[in-house]
Amino acid sequence: MIYSYECEQQLLAGLIKFPGAYAEIAPFISEEDFFDLSSQVNKTIFCVLRQALSSGEKIDEIILAERVNSLGISFEDNLNIFDYIKALSMRRVSEDSLVVSARELKKLTVKRTLCSASEEMSKKIQELPNTATYSEIVETADEIYNKKVDLFQEGDDLPINIFEEMEDVIEERGENPVEEYGFMGPHQTINNLYGSLLRPGNITVIVARSGVGKTQFCMDFCTKTSLSYKNVPVLHFDNGEMSKEEIMNRQCAALSGVQLHLIETGKWRRAGEETVKKMRQALAQVKDMKFYYYNVGGMSVDSMINVVKRFYYSKVGRGNRMILSFDYIKTTFEKFNTKTEWQVVGEMVDKFKRLVQKEVVFEGDPMIAMMTSVQSNRSGIVGNRNSDSVVDDESIVSLSDRIIQFSSHLLSLRQKTLDELQNEPADFGSHRLTCIKHRHLGPEVYRALTPVEMPDGSRRKNSINLEINNFNVTDKGDLKDLADNMDLNDIEAENGNNFFEAPQFS
């Protein structure tokens, strides 16, 4: 069996000599870490020590031996508990080695637990009927594994005095400044105003009505961001509304610029030399790209999270970052039972937030950045409304307020209204992206927060102009750019020149 009698003794000796160090190992060491099949004595001594040290009581080896002896437990080989504890107290051990011994002991516990889980898993899986589906087999294994051990809790999740480390961290960052904090997206205007929408540990939510383009925005954003960072892996969860081939064709259209119907029918080869050239260039580019599709329709949140963990550790690797794209937040895959819809959605968002912020970490830093979307309620309908009657605030978010609470950025995506399309210059896009909530901003903070004065004298919240065409999303500047352009156009018109050239945005 997997255990170390010597390591157990070293830990007990350290606690006897340095009782104040117990607080450092208390969060992750318990009596379960002492292997009682080899000897009950170490486990018993630890239990007595823990009881005293947890209450702040001072205890020496004599008092410790008296209390253990009073329990009336008979140890193997008629062990004299007084001599045994005295021998422990005379061991050479430092306070630092005590913590090291505790961590080594915990590793042995994890190994034992994993072996036990493997044995139970083997038995349960063999007992499954031949009619069991692939998902049922995997979920059975996940359930046993996660019940036995949480490999992502390393035991040092303690409150930290941030001021102790502040000087070192700030000075180190000053000596080694970075240009970016988080994955910067493909649209410079968004980066300037709102910073990274894909920071590991954060969740960005796009809210829009059905058919507006929230799915394509998220896929396009994550794919282009991945490409900018040497093809960092993207795991895309689809809720079952689109097949793998549909998503593949849309991604191909976005990257190549070739019309979707030519791709779906295979007629792109007959559409001219220029079309074939675009397609060949896109196909050459995607060979190194990493966009993984997974259909999560009908799956529970816990099953999804297990898929993310397995994918991360098998495909991405510990210590490497990834992007999780989830299309989209809804409730059809959960059993309601006695819970309301908003409770189910709230728990789902809570679990995903915990996953990206605390469960998949490396040296304390989150490794997964998440982008998802949710349908807006009827308040978010644009239809034939005038721009003055369109709602662009958090009241349009459907299902649960926890979506707003747990998101780092919450952005509303909508098609421009008829009066906006009519009154605005033609080169400022088809859609409007408005930031409803943010936890951080980009370098142009003042521009992001200051209302924009329009040519008619009204003031409006700043927003981003986007062109969504053939599943490709293009940055067309913000509302300030648009207002400046309209002012310039008015000046030129007054001077007898109606010609203006709209600015180009990357």
Side-chain angles (χ1 to χ4, degrees), residues 248-303:
M248 187 186 301
N249 290 337
R250 289 187 176 201
Q251 289 283 64
C252 186
L255 292 168
S256 67
V258 176
Q259 292 297 315
L260 180 63
H261 74 92
L262 293 176
I263 297 171
E264 289 178 331
T265 60
K267 294 180 180 179
W268 59 270
R269 285 190 179 182
R270 308 173 192 173
E273 184 177 340
E274 186 62 28
T275 298
V276 173
K277 181 181 178 181
K278 288 180 180 179
M279 181 60 74
R280 297 293 188 203
Q281 288 175 340
L283 294 178
Q285 181 185 42
V286 301
K287 289 184 182 298
D288 296 322
M289 295 176 69
K290 298 176 181 178
F291 187 92
Y292 295 84
Y293 164 90
Y294 196 91
N295 189 330
V296 296
M299 291 178 63
S300 68
V301 182
D302 289 333
S303 296

Coordinates of all heavy atoms in Angstrom, one line a residue, residues 248-303:
M248 N -18.5 24.7 -38.9 CA -17.3 24.6 -39.8 C -17.4 25.5 -41.0 O -16.5 26.3 -41.4 CB -17.0 23.2 -40.2 CG -15.7 22.9 -40.9 SD -15.6 21.2 -41.5 CE -15.7 20.3 -40.0
N249 N -18.6 25.4 -41.6 CA -18.9 26.2 -42.9 C -18.9 27.7 -42.5 O -18.4 28.5 -43.3 CB -20.2 25.8 -43.5 CG -20.1 24.4 -44.1 OD1 -19.0 23.9 -44.5 ND2 -21.3 23.8 -44.3
R250 N -19.5 28.1 -41.4 CA -19.5 29.5 -41.0 C -18.1 30.0 -40.8 O -17.8 31.2 -41.1 CB -20.4 29.7 -39.8 CG -21.9 29.5 -40.1 CD -22.8 29.8 -38.9 NE -24.2 29.7 -39.2 CZ -25.1 30.4 -38.5 NH1 -24.8 31.1 -37.5 NH2 -26.4 30.2 -38.8
Q251 N -17.3 29.3 -40.1 CA -16.0 29.7 -39.8 C -15.2 29.8 -41.1 O -14.4 30.8 -41.2 CB -15.3 28.7 -38.8 CG -15.8 28.7 -37.4 CD -15.3 29.9 -36.6 OE1 -15.6 31.0 -36.9 NE2 -14.5 29.6 -35.6
C252 N -15.4 28.9 -42.0 CA -14.7 29.0 -43.3 C -15.1 30.2 -44.0 O -14.3 30.9 -44.6 CB -15.0 27.7 -44.1 SG -14.1 27.6 -45.6
A253 N -16.4 30.6 -44.0 CA -16.9 31.8 -44.7 C -16.3 33.0 -44.1 O -15.8 34.0 -44.8 CB -18.4 31.9 -44.6
A254 N -16.2 33.1 -42.7 CA -15.6 34.2 -42.0 C -14.2 34.4 -42.3 O -13.7 35.5 -42.5 CB -15.8 34.1 -40.5
L255 N -13.4 33.3 -42.4 CA -12.0 33.4 -42.6 C -11.6 33.6 -44.0 O -10.6 34.3 -44.3 CB -11.3 32.2 -42.1 CG -11.3 32.0 -40.5 CD1 -10.9 30.5 -40.2 CD2 -10.4 33.0 -39.8
S256 N -12.4 33.1 -45.0 CA -12.0 33.2 -46.4 C -12.7 34.4 -47.1 O -12.1 34.9 -48.1 CB -12.4 31.9 -47.1 OG -13.8 31.8 -47.1
G257 N -13.8 34.8 -46.6 CA -14.6 35.8 -47.3 C -15.4 35.3 -48.5 O -16.1 36.0 -49.2
V258 N -15.4 34.0 -48.6 CA -16.2 33.3 -49.6 C -17.7 33.1 -49.1 O -17.9 32.8 -47.9 CB -15.6 31.9 -50.0 CG1 -16.5 31.2 -51.0 CG2 -14.2 32.1 -50.6
Q259 N -18.6 33.4 -50.0 CA -20.0 33.3 -49.6 C -20.4 31.9 -49.0 O -19.9 30.9 -49.6 CB -21.0 33.6 -50.7 CG -20.9 35.1 -51.1 CD -21.4 36.0 -50.0 OE1 -22.4 35.8 -49.3 NE2 -20.6 37.1 -49.8
L260 N -21.2 31.9 -48.0 CA -21.6 30.6 -47.4 C -22.2 29.6 -48.3 O -21.9 28.4 -48.3 CB -22.5 30.9 -46.2 CG -23.0 29.6 -45.4 CD1 -21.8 28.9 -44.7 CD2 -24.0 30.0 -44.3
H261 N -23.1 30.1 -49.2 CA -23.8 29.1 -50.1 C -22.8 28.4 -51.0 O -23.1 27.3 -51.4 CB -24.9 29.8 -50.8 CG -24.5 30.7 -51.9 ND1 -24.3 30.3 -53.2 CD2 -24.1 32.0 -51.9 CE1 -23.9 31.3 -54.0 NE2 -23.7 32.3 -53.2
L262 N -21.7 29.1 -51.4 CA -20.7 28.5 -52.3 C -20.0 27.4 -51.5 O -19.6 26.4 -52.1 CB -19.8 29.5 -52.8 CG -20.3 30.6 -53.7 CD1 -19.2 31.6 -54.1 CD2 -20.9 29.9 -55.0
I263 N -19.8 27.6 -50.2 CA -19.1 26.6 -49.4 C -20.0 25.4 -49.1 O -19.5 24.3 -49.3 CB -18.6 27.3 -48.1 CG1 -17.6 28.4 -48.3 CG2 -18.0 26.2 -47.1 CD1 -17.3 29.2 -47.1
E264 N -21.2 25.7 -48.8 CA -22.1 24.6 -48.5 C -22.4 23.7 -49.7 O -22.5 22.5 -49.5 CB -23.5 25.2 -48.0 CG -23.4 25.8 -46.6 CD -24.7 26.4 -46.1 OE1 -25.5 26.8 -47.0 OE2 -24.9 26.4 -44.9
T265 N -22.5 24.3 -50.9 CA -22.8 23.5 -52.1 C -21.5 23.0 -52.7 O -21.6 22.1 -53.6 CB -23.5 24.4 -53.1 OG1 -22.7 25.5 -53.4 CG2 -24.9 24.8 -52.5
G266 N -20.3 23.4 -52.3 CA -19.1 23.0 -52.9 C -18.8 23.7 -54.3 O -17.9 23.3 -55.0
K267 N -19.6 24.7 -54.6 CA -19.4 25.4 -55.9 C -18.4 26.5 -55.9 O -18.2 27.2 -56.9 CB -20.8 26.0 -56.3 CG -21.8 25.0 -56.6 CD -23.2 25.6 -57.0 CE -24.2 24.6 -57.3 NZ -25.5 25.2 -57.7
W268 N -17.6 26.6 -54.7 CA -16.6 27.6 -54.7 C -15.5 27.4 -55.7 O -14.9 28.4 -56.2 CB -16.0 27.7 -53.3 CG -15.4 26.4 -52.8 CD1 -16.0 25.4 -52.1 CD2 -14.0 26.0 -53.0 NE1 -15.1 24.4 -51.9 CE2 -13.9 24.7 -52.4 CE3 -12.9 26.6 -53.6 CZ2 -12.7 24.0 -52.3 CZ3 -11.7 25.9 -53.6 CH2 -11.6 24.6 -52.9
R269 N -15.3 26.1 -56.1 CA -14.2 25.9 -57.1 C -14.6 26.4 -58.5 O -13.8 26.6 -59.3 CB -14.0 24.4 -57.2 CG -13.2 23.8 -56.0 CD -12.8 22.4 -56.3 NE -12.1 21.8 -55.2 CZ -11.6 20.5 -55.2 NH1 -11.8 19.8 -56.3 NH2 -10.9 20.1 -54.2
R270 N -15.9 26.6 -58.7 CA -16.4 27.1 -60.0 C -16.7 28.6 -60.0 O -17.3 29.1 -61.0 CB -17.6 26.3 -60.4 CG -17.5 24.8 -60.4 CD -18.8 24.1 -60.7 NE -18.8 22.7 -60.3 CZ -19.8 21.9 -60.4 NH1 -21.0 22.4 -60.7 NH2 -19.7 20.6 -60.1
A271 N -16.4 29.2 -58.9 CA -16.8 30.6 -58.8 C -15.8 31.6 -59.2 O -15.9 32.8 -58.9 CB -17.2 30.9 -57.3
G272 N -14.7 31.2 -59.8 CA -13.7 32.1 -60.3 C -12.4 32.0 -59.6 O -12.3 31.5 -58.5
E273 N -11.4 32.4 -60.3 CA -10.0 32.3 -59.8 C -9.8 33.0 -58.4 O -9.1 32.5 -57.6 CB -9.0 32.9 -60.8 CG -7.6 32.7 -60.5 CD -6.6 33.2 -61.5 OE1 -7.1 33.3 -62.7 OE2 -5.5 33.5 -61.2
E274 N -10.4 34.2 -58.3 CA -10.2 35.0 -57.1 C -10.8 34.2 -55.9 O -10.3 34.2 -54.8 CB -10.9 36.3 -57.2 CG -10.6 37.3 -56.1 CD -9.2 37.6 -55.8 OE1 -8.4 37.6 -56.8 OE2 -8.8 37.9 -54.7
T275 N -12.0 33.6 -56.1 CA -12.7 32.9 -55.0 C -11.9 31.7 -54.6 O -11.7 31.4 -53.4 CB -14.1 32.4 -55.4 OG1 -14.9 33.6 -55.7 CG2 -14.8 31.6 -54.3
V276 N -11.3 31.0 -55.6 CA -10.5 29.8 -55.3 C -9.3 30.2 -54.5 O -8.8 29.5 -53.6 CB -10.2 29.0 -56.6 CG1 -9.1 27.9 -56.3 CG2 -11.4 28.5 -57.2
K277 N -8.7 31.3 -54.9 CA -7.5 31.8 -54.2 C -7.8 32.1 -52.8 O -7.0 31.7 -51.9 CB -6.9 33.0 -54.9 CG -5.7 33.6 -54.3 CD -5.2 34.8 -55.1 CE -4.0 35.4 -54.5 NZ -3.5 36.7 -55.2
K278 N -8.9 32.8 -52.5 CA -9.3 33.1 -51.1 C -9.4 31.9 -50.3 O -9.0 31.8 -49.1 CB -10.6 33.9 -51.1 CG -10.4 35.4 -51.6 CD -11.8 36.0 -51.5 CE -11.7 37.5 -52.0 NZ -13.1 38.1 -51.9
M279 N -10.1 30.9 -50.9 CA -10.4 29.6 -50.2 C -9.1 28.9 -49.9 O -8.9 28.4 -48.8 CB -11.3 28.7 -51.0 CG -11.7 27.4 -50.3 SD -12.5 27.7 -48.7 CE -14.1 28.2 -49.3
R280 N -8.2 28.8 -50.8 CA -6.9 28.1 -50.6 C -6.1 28.8 -49.5 O -5.5 28.1 -48.7 CB -6.1 28.1 -51.9 CG -6.8 27.3 -53.1 CD -6.9 25.8 -52.8 NE -7.3 25.1 -54.0 CZ -7.9 24.0 -54.0 NH1 -8.2 23.4 -52.9 NH2 -8.3 23.4 -55.2
Q281 N -6.1 30.1 -49.5 CA -5.4 30.8 -48.5 C -5.9 30.5 -47.1 O -5.2 30.3 -46.1 CB -5.4 32.3 -48.8 CG -4.5 32.7 -50.0 CD -4.7 34.2 -50.3 OE1 -5.7 34.9 -49.9 NE2 -3.7 34.7 -51.0
A282 N -7.3 30.5 -47.0 CA -7.9 30.2 -45.7 C -7.6 28.8 -45.3 O -7.3 28.6 -44.1 CB -9.4 30.5 -45.8
L283 N -7.7 27.9 -46.2 CA -7.5 26.5 -45.8 C -6.0 26.2 -45.4 O -5.7 25.4 -44.5 CB -7.8 25.5 -47.0 CG -9.3 25.5 -47.4 CD1 -9.5 24.6 -48.6 CD2 -10.2 25.0 -46.2
A284 N -5.1 27.0 -46.0 CA -3.7 26.9 -45.6 C -3.5 27.4 -44.2 O -2.7 26.9 -43.4 CB -2.8 27.6 -46.6
Q285 N -4.3 28.5 -43.9 CA -4.1 29.2 -42.6 C -4.7 28.3 -41.4 O -4.1 28.3 -40.3 CB -4.9 30.5 -42.6 CG -4.8 31.3 -41.3 CD -5.7 32.6 -41.4 OE1 -6.8 32.6 -41.9 NE2 -5.1 33.7 -40.9
V286 N -5.8 27.6 -41.7 CA -6.4 26.9 -40.6 C -5.7 25.6 -40.2 O -6.0 25.0 -39.1 CB -7.9 26.5 -40.9 CG1 -8.7 27.8 -41.2 CG2 -8.0 25.5 -42.1
K287 N -4.7 25.2 -40.9 CA -4.0 23.9 -40.6 C -3.4 23.9 -39.2 O -3.3 22.9 -38.5 CB -2.9 23.6 -41.6 CG -3.5 23.2 -43.0 CD -2.3 22.9 -43.9 CE -2.9 22.5 -45.3 NZ -3.7 21.3 -45.3
D288 N -3.0 25.1 -38.7 CA -2.4 25.2 -37.4 C -3.3 25.8 -36.3 O -2.9 25.9 -35.2 CB -1.1 26.1 -37.5 CG 0.0 25.5 -38.4 OD1 0.1 24.3 -38.3 OD2 0.6 26.3 -39.1
M289 N -4.5 26.1 -36.7 CA -5.5 26.7 -35.8 C -6.1 25.6 -34.9 O -6.3 24.5 -35.3 CB -6.5 27.6 -36.5 CG -5.9 28.8 -37.2 SD -7.1 29.7 -38.2 CE -8.1 30.4 -36.9
K290 N -6.6 26.0 -33.7 CA -7.1 25.1 -32.7 C -8.4 25.6 -32.2 O -8.5 26.4 -31.3 CB -6.1 24.9 -31.6 CG -4.8 24.3 -32.0 CD -3.8 24.2 -30.9 CE -2.5 23.7 -31.3 NZ -1.5 23.6 -30.2
F291 N -9.5 25.1 -32.9 CA -10.9 25.4 -32.5 C -11.6 24.1 -32.3 O -12.0 23.5 -33.3 CB -11.5 26.3 -33.5 CG -12.9 26.9 -33.1 CD1 -13.0 28.1 -32.5 CD2 -14.0 26.2 -33.4 CE1 -14.2 28.6 -32.1 CE2 -15.3 26.7 -33.0 CZ -15.4 27.9 -32.4
Y292 N -11.8 23.7 -31.1 CA -12.4 22.4 -30.8 C -13.9 22.5 -30.5 O -14.3 23.3 -29.7 CB -11.7 21.8 -29.6 CG -10.3 21.5 -29.7 CD1 -9.3 22.4 -29.6 CD2 -9.9 20.2 -30.1 CE1 -8.0 22.2 -29.7 CE2 -8.5 19.9 -30.3 CZ -7.6 20.9 -30.1 OH -6.2 20.6 -30.3
Y293 N -14.7 21.8 -31.3 CA -16.2 21.8 -31.1 C -16.6 20.7 -30.3 O -16.1 19.5 -30.3 CB -16.8 21.7 -32.5 CG -18.2 21.3 -32.6 CD1 -19.2 22.3 -32.6 CD2 -18.6 19.9 -32.6 CE1 -20.6 21.9 -32.6 CE2 -20.0 19.6 -32.7 CZ -20.9 20.6 -32.7 OH -22.3 20.3 -32.7
Y294 N -17.6 21.0 -29.4 CA -18.2 19.9 -28.6 C -19.7 20.2 -28.3 O -20.0 21.3 -27.9 CB -17.5 19.8 -27.2 CG -17.8 18.5 -26.4 CD1 -16.9 17.4 -26.6 CD2 -18.9 18.4 -25.6 CE1 -17.2 16.3 -25.9 CE2 -19.1 17.3 -24.9 CZ -18.3 16.2 -25.0 OH -18.5 15.0 -24.3
N295 N -20.5 19.3 -28.7 CA -22.0 19.4 -28.6 C -22.4 19.1 -27.1 O -22.2 17.9 -26.7 CB -22.7 18.5 -29.5 CG -24.2 18.8 -29.6 OD1 -24.8 19.2 -28.6 ND2 -24.8 18.5 -30.8
V296 N -22.9 20.1 -26.4 CA -23.3 19.9 -25.0 C -24.8 19.8 -24.8 O -25.3 19.9 -23.7 CB -22.7 20.9 -24.1 CG1 -21.1 20.8 -24.0 CG2 -23.1 22.3 -24.5
G297 N -25.5 19.7 -25.9 CA -27.0 19.7 -25.8 C -27.4 18.5 -25.0 O -27.0 17.4 -25.1
G298 N -28.3 18.8 -24.0 CA -28.8 17.7 -23.1 C -27.9 17.4 -21.9 O -28.2 16.6 -21.1
M299 N -26.7 18.1 -21.8 CA -25.8 17.8 -20.7 C -26.0 18.7 -19.5 O -26.5 19.8 -19.6 CB -24.3 17.9 -21.2 CG -23.9 16.9 -22.2 SD -22.2 17.2 -22.8 CE -21.3 17.0 -21.2
S300 N -25.7 18.1 -18.3 CA -25.8 19.0 -17.1 C -24.6 19.8 -17.0 O -23.6 19.6 -17.7 CB -25.9 18.1 -15.9 OG -24.6 17.4 -15.7
V301 N -24.6 20.9 -16.2 CA -23.5 21.8 -16.0 C -22.3 21.0 -15.5 O -21.2 21.2 -15.9 CB -23.9 22.9 -15.0 CG1 -22.7 23.9 -14.9 CG2 -25.1 23.7 -15.5
D302 N -22.5 20.1 -14.5 CA -21.4 19.4 -13.9 C -20.7 18.5 -15.0 O -19.4 18.4 -15.0 CB -21.9 18.5 -12.8 CG -22.3 19.3 -11.5 OD1 -21.7 20.4 -11.4 OD2 -23.2 18.8 -10.8
S303 N -21.5 18.0 -15.9 CA -20.9 17.2 -17.0 C -20.1 18.0 -17.9 O -19.0 17.7 -18.3 CB -22.0 16.4 -17.8 OG -22.7 15.5 -17.0

